[in-house]
Amino acid sequence: MEIGLMESVLLVAAGGAIGATLRFLVGHYVDSSQFPWATLAVNLIGAFLLALITFWYTGIPQELKLLLFTGLFGAFTTMSTFTLETVTLFYDGRFGSALLNFCANAGLCVLGAVAGRYAGLALS
């Protein structure tokens, strides 16, 4: 049975509220004064959990996909923040930090997704 537009919007909004709140809490508790560790943390956690859920629970209902994937993970992970922080570091003359931020987010998040895939397949 297909769900309606209003139900879809509410599921995305509910997941987004949870994801945004979790993102705020990570940013509050992870010190990013010298390096954007909070952004790296949410991107890595998000990549791992998204892959874990995808490969573990293969029969995910559309409602749960909207709640988790579009809503929660869409609000929790911060690709736009990552790119802005990288550009800011670069234009502040912190070339090494900009490169580290780029490589850590791109590389570690891909590895996080690979680890999540293996964990998901092992659990299924």
Side-chain angles (χ1 to χ4, degrees), residues 34-36 85-86 89-90 94-102:
Q34 298 300 311
F35 186 81
E85 289 170 342
T86 302
L89 288 167
F90 180 82
R94 299 178 61 196
F95 305 114
S97 290
L99 182 61
L100 173 63
N101 195 42
F102 175 79

Side-chain angles (χ1 to χ4, degrees), residues 33-88:
S33 59
Q34 298 300 311
F35 186 81
W37 293 113
T39 302
L40 176 59
V42 296
N43 286 339
L44 183 55
I45 292 165
F48 174 81
L49 290 177
L50 190 61
L52 171 72
I53 293 167
T54 298
F55 289 97
W56 175 29
Y57 186 30
T58 56
I60 301 172
Q62 183 63 25
E63 295 87 354
L64 193 55
K65 285 182 182 179
L66 289 170
L67 179 77
L68 293 179
F69 296 175
T70 307
L72 191 145
F73 289 115
F76 180 67
T77 60
T78 56
M79 192 63 171
S80 58
T81 304
F82 149 65
T83 55
L84 178 62
E85 289 170 342
T86 302
V87 168
T88 300

